[in-house]
Each structure stands twice: as C-alpha cells, then as structure tokens.
Amino acid sequence: AQKITQTQPGMFVQEKEAVTLDCTYDTSDQSYGLFWYKQPSSGEMIFLIYQGSYDEQNATEGRYSLNFQKARKSANLVISASQLGDSAMYFCERRSGNTGKLIFGQGTTLQVKP
Amino acid sequence: DTAVSQTPKYLVTQMGNDKSIKCEQNLGHDTMYWYKQDSKKFLKIMFSYNNKELIINETVPNRFSPKSPDKAHLNLHINSLELGDSAVYFCASSQDGGQGPEAFFGQGTRLTVV
C-alpha cells in the first residue's frame, strides 16, 4: 500500500535556528502533490506549502521551504529562523494527481525552545 | 467570513445515537472532504466529494454517510454511534488549478461518545 512516513515523532529546536522535518513517500503515480500542514495546540489545520511532482524548483513560502528530492521520494520541510509560535504538530500529505486519493503522514511534533 | 465552517465544535452523545455534523464553505471550491483525527493524532481521509459526486470513499463503516445538498455543503451523518467513533472530525475544501490545490480546513468537531 502506498504510504507516507514522517520518521520524527518529536523534534526540538532552539529559537532562531533552522529545523528540517522529514517526509518520505511511496507512490507509483507520475503526477502528485505534496503538502505540509501545521496544527497548533488549538487544533486547527493550517496549510503551509505545496510542491507539485513536476515542479523543478523547490517551493518556498516565507520562512518555509520544501526540500524536494523526487528520486529519493522525499519532501522535507525546512523552517528557517524558528519562532516560539512554530511549536506545533506538522503533517505531510501526498495527493495523487490521477485518482485524487490522499494520505497523511503520522505527524511530527516540533517544540521551539527560547 | 469563515471560509470553511463546521458545526458543532463540540458534540457529546451517548452510544447508539444518531448525529450529524454540518460543513459549509464559501470559497466556491469544487471538492470537499471529511477527515477523522484519532486520539493519537493520526489523520485519515474519510470521504471526498467533487461536484456532488463521491470520488473517494475510504473503508469507513457504512454507519457514516456524507450528504451534499449542494456544492457548498458536505454534511456528515453518523448512525448508531460507538465509543470508537470518538475523535476530531475535520471538514475541508479545495480546488485544483489557478486558485491553488491546498485544502482549507474547518476548525474541527470534537465528538465524544459516552
């Protein structure tokens, strides 16, 4: 079965430092999208960044960037200059461009230390 | 002006009851989703509706039935509630294309079955 894996259940980072959250996926699709969402302790789901499988450049959105390595099937999220408000759970999602089917990773809890 | 709104935010009910969770989006999106997040924070897609047609129906019990009266609404009806149905249920919507494929989430409904 196709799956998506976030190998880090929990991560710590010092404020103002950069952190990388890992995400690897398994797919036979040629066309797919990769997403990262943030879920703070308040519970809402917030979209952060998107990468299409045909995009040649890594996606960037402010302090967020996606290190997309297609051959390795990885889509790691890089957060630069961490802030206390970045403390949250982060989910990686893959969506098939063919079937529309989507699947989430199990999430990574990030804690930013002052 | 909430983009995706779901009601109620909290729902406590007894086993065996039937309940509904409502979801509305004012973004003009074509696709709406229901997700379940369990106590371990695992997120799983339950249903996806595109232009009022069910396009993904993951293996959920048939006690769960999505109902879409129009493109802006996707309600979730649950029959004969069981203890294991306790979770947070998220509604979301998205539209592929120029407006971006990311999903916008409602605030979640925390269902507790006692």
Side-chain angles (χ1 to χ4, degrees):
Chain A
Q2 298 190 2
K3 60 181 181 180
I4 188 163
T5 303
Q6 295 178 248
T7 57
Q8 308 147 313
M11 291 276 289
F12 289 93
V13 66
Q14 205 68 37
E15 193 178 9
K16 300 181 184 177
E17 291 186 350
V19 63
T20 298
L21 306 184
D22 294 341
C23 174
T24 58
Y25 57 93
D26 179 21
T27 184
S28 56
D29 294 329
Q30 293 299 312
S31 171
Y32 52 91
L34 298 157
F35 303 79
W36 277 92
Y37 291 89
K38 173 184 178 182
Q39 187 177 40
S41 58
S42 51
E44 71 266 33
M45 292 286 286
I46 303 166
F47 165 75
L48 295 178
I49 196 167
Y50 162 77
Q51 179 88 41
S53 59
Y54 290 116
D55 293 340
E56 295 187 352
Q57 297 210 340
N58 286 342
T60 59
E61 289 284 348
R63 294 186 299 111
Y64 304 108
S65 60
L66 204 150
N67 184 1
F68 180 47
Q69 299 188 40
K70 192 171 181 177
R72 298 179 62 181
K73 294 185 178 177
S74 72
N76 299 338
L77 176 70
V78 181
I79 305 174
S80 62
S82 296
Q83 302 172 357
L84 295 178
D86 294 334
S87 294
M89 196 154 186
Y90 290 80
F91 291 95
C92 182
E93 179 204 353
R94 179 191 59 76
R95 189 177 307 174
S96 168
N98 300 327
T99 66
K101 284 197 171 185
L102 49 85
I103 185 169
F104 280 91
Q106 57 269 62
T108 295
T109 299
L110 176 67
Q111 292 194 36
V112 180
K113 293 182 172 181
Chain B
D1 290 352
T2 306
V4 181
S5 60
Q6 52 183 110
T7 55
K9 189 171 182 180
Y10 299 97
L11 182 55
V12 181
T13 187
Q14 290 187 328
M15 283 175 58
N17 284 350
D18 302 339
K19 290 293 178 184
S20 291
I21 307 172
K22 295 185 177 180
C23 180
E24 176 181 5
Q25 54 97 2
N26 61 7
L27 298 167
H29 287 167
D30 287 329
T31 305
M32 295 183 71
Y33 310 84
W34 276 105
Y35 298 84
K36 179 180 180 181
Q37 187 173 37
D38 63 22
S39 58
K40 294 182 180 179
K41 299 290 188 179
F42 292 139
L43 269 165
K44 189 172 180 180
I45 182 75
M46 298 178 71
F47 300 104
S48 173
Y49 255 73
N50 185 309
N51 287 324
K52 298 182 67 175
E53 285 188 66
L54 182 67
I55 59 172
I56 301 174
N57 184 357
E58 296 296 323
T59 53
V60 299
N62 57 14
R63 298 182 294 104
F64 291 80
S65 54
K67 298 192 189 301
S68 181
D70 54 57
K71 193 172 106 167
H73 296 84
L74 182 65
N75 303 324
L76 182 65
H77 189 76
I78 316 168
N79 290 327
S80 303
L81 279 155
E82 300 177 357
L83 293 176
D85 297 333
S86 295
V88 179
Y89 293 84
F90 285 98
C91 175
S93 72
S94 71
Q95 178 150 334
D96 290 340
Q99 296 181 36
E102 70 269 24
F104 291 82
F105 283 76
Q107 76 273 33
T109 296
R110 182 175 294 277
L111 171 65
T112 304
V113 182
V114 297

